[in-house]
Amino acid sequence: MEQDYTQLSRRAKRLQLAARTLVKSLRLGNFHSMYYGQGIEFCGVRDYLRGDDVRAIDWNVTARLGKPYVKLFSEDRELQIFLVVDRSLSMHTGTLSRTRLDAAVETAELLTLVAEQSSSPVGAVLFSSEIEFALAPKGGKNTVQLILSRLDNYEGCKKRGSHLAAALQGSGKILRKRALVFVLSDFRAGGWRKPFSYLAGRHDVIAVRISDPIDSELPDTGSIPFTDIETLKRAIFPTSSGVFRRAWRDAERERIEKWKEECIRCGGVPLELSTADDPVLVLSRYFASRERR
């Protein structure tokens, strides 16, 4: 018991230190809250979306282009951070010392601590085959502790199926103000594109695809039986065949490129994170790239 407490304490300190590193990167990442209405500085226009205040319509641009547009203003204010975390059964897989879910949880915990240290409201939706937890963005230590405790409590969440589409749709209903949304998932689900597009139309959405090295590189160990953890379908793969391993690698590259294109087309930002990666480095590089842009 004492050893477990010591390990948890060390892990908490490491996460706190890592979060401090990310706070500066986040602030430099140029995430400005964009909204319509009275603001400090006019920034431009965007397409009118259902539910927008008609008083925000830019009638000059609307008349010139023949479709409704609303004005955008920027203001220095708190940045809301929102996490959508996939805990479906496929996330419990991994060939290294940690699973995809371990990587997703560590990343989500880091972002939660980043929100606390930057005094940003934070909220989350956790899901598997159903929505398991949902909390609108709030400030304060109690909110941070609640999210961290729910993230850590996932050992029993082993249900088949992924409710990614419903989680994205629910997030859109929860979020009342523009937020920085991180979707942490392996994206092994259908029907997520439409709600993802709707969410990305109103918020800064970063799609973090959690992968594992075996997704692209198979070991040369002969014929190995594989079982799909979600569907329970079985197959034997000839991993000793170089042709098969190359085809496996090429197929994964095609899936990644297609996923990236779909994310961008839907208005989001694709970001890859492997179970072999350090989330701090991946997030720091992403925030740095935002600063350069």
Side-chain angles (χ1 to χ4, degrees):
M1 182 70 73
E2 184 177 350
Q3 184 178 3
D4 290 342
Y5 176 80
T6 302
Q7 290 177 347
L8 285 173
S9 179
R10 288 175 179 171
R11 179 168 174 266
K13 289 180 180 179
R14 185 179 69 82
L15 287 173
Q16 287 283 358
L17 290 172
R20 290 175 193 169
T21 302
L22 284 174
V23 167
K24 183 178 180 181
S25 298
L26 176 67
R27 288 172 178 165
L28 292 174
N30 198 28
F31 294 100
H32 293 301
S33 239
M34 307 298 291
Y35 70 104
Y36 53 81
Q38 297 300 314
I40 293 175
E41 184 180 359
F42 174 72
C43 292
V45 296
R46 65 162 169 79
D47 290 346
Y48 174 85
L49 300 173
R50 182 183 299 177
D52 285 342
D53 190 338
V54 295
R55 293 173 297 180
I57 294 178
D58 188 320
W59 294 107
N60 291 329
V61 177
T62 297
R64 188 166 67 251
L65 299 180
K67 58 183 295 189
Y69 285 83
V70 294
K71 297 177 182 178
L72 289 175
F73 298 85
S74 68
E75 179 186 26
D76 289 330
R77 60 181 179 184
E78 60 188 9
L79 174 69
Q80 291 193 131
I81 295 178
F82 195 75
L83 310 171
V84 183
V85 184
D86 186 352
R87 309 202 294 187
S88 61
L89 202 55
S90 63
M91 291 289 288
H92 288 258
T93 61
T95 55
L96 301 176
S97 58
R98 64 176 181 166
T99 65
R100 301 169 205 267
L101 185 55
D102 291 332
V105 166
E106 182 178 355
T107 305
E109 288 175 337
L110 273 170
L111 292 167
T112 302
L113 294 173
V114 166
E116 179 186 32
Q117 294 184 20
S118 60
S119 300
S120 299
V122 61
V125 165
L126 313 181
F127 71 95
S128 57
S129 60
E130 60 188 26
I131 305 299
E132 299 172 344
F133 173 76
L135 180 68
K138 296 179 182 179
K141 187 172 290 292
N142 289 339
T143 299
V144 170
Q145 292 300 323
L146 175 59
I147 293 175
L148 291 177
S149 66
R150 294 305 297 259
L151 284 169
D152 275 336
N153 183 24
Y154 62 83
E155 288 301 325
C157 304
K158 296 184 178 180
K159 305 171 185 178
R160 288 189 175 85
S162 175
H163 224 350
L164 176 57
L168 294 171
Q169 187 174 12
S171 299
K173 294 178 179 179
I174 288 175
L175 293 169
R176 299 299 182 186
K177 298 179 180 179
R178 193 171 182 90
L180 177 58
V181 182
F182 291 87
V183 183
L184 303 161
S185 173
D186 57 9
F187 286 86
R188 296 186 180 184
W192 60 269
R193 293 158 188 82
K194 186 174 181 180
F196 183 94
S197 180
Y198 180 86
L199 192 66
R202 286 167 164 75
H203 307 279
D204 287 311
V205 181
I206 295 90
V208 185
R209 184 179 185 268
I210 310 295
S211 63
D212 187 84
I214 201 172
D215 294 342
S216 55
E217 295 294 337
L218 285 174
D220 181 0
T221 54
S223 297
I224 299 179
F226 278 73
T227 302
D228 187 308
I229 197 169
E230 292 282 5
T231 65
L232 298 182
K233 290 183 178 179
R234 298 183 178 182
I236 296 178
F237 294 159
T239 62
S240 58
S241 168
V243 174
F244 181 83
R245 293 198 305 274
R246 283 193 296 273
W248 178 275
R249 182 170 57 249
D250 292 343
E252 175 64 8
R253 286 175 180 170
E254 289 181 9
R255 281 192 292 269
I256 292 174
E257 289 306 313
K258 182 179 179 181
W259 170 78
K260 286 182 177 179
E261 291 173 2
E262 289 173 338
C263 287
I264 295 171
R265 190 181 304 117
C266 291
V269 177
L271 182 64
E272 294 182 75
L273 176 67
S274 169
T275 56
D277 290 334
D278 182 345
V280 178
L281 292 178
V282 173
L283 291 173
S284 295
R285 288 169 185 161
Y286 169 67
F287 294 148
S289 70
R290 284 284 301 231
E291 180 190 2
R292 287 194 295 272
R293 288 200 296 270

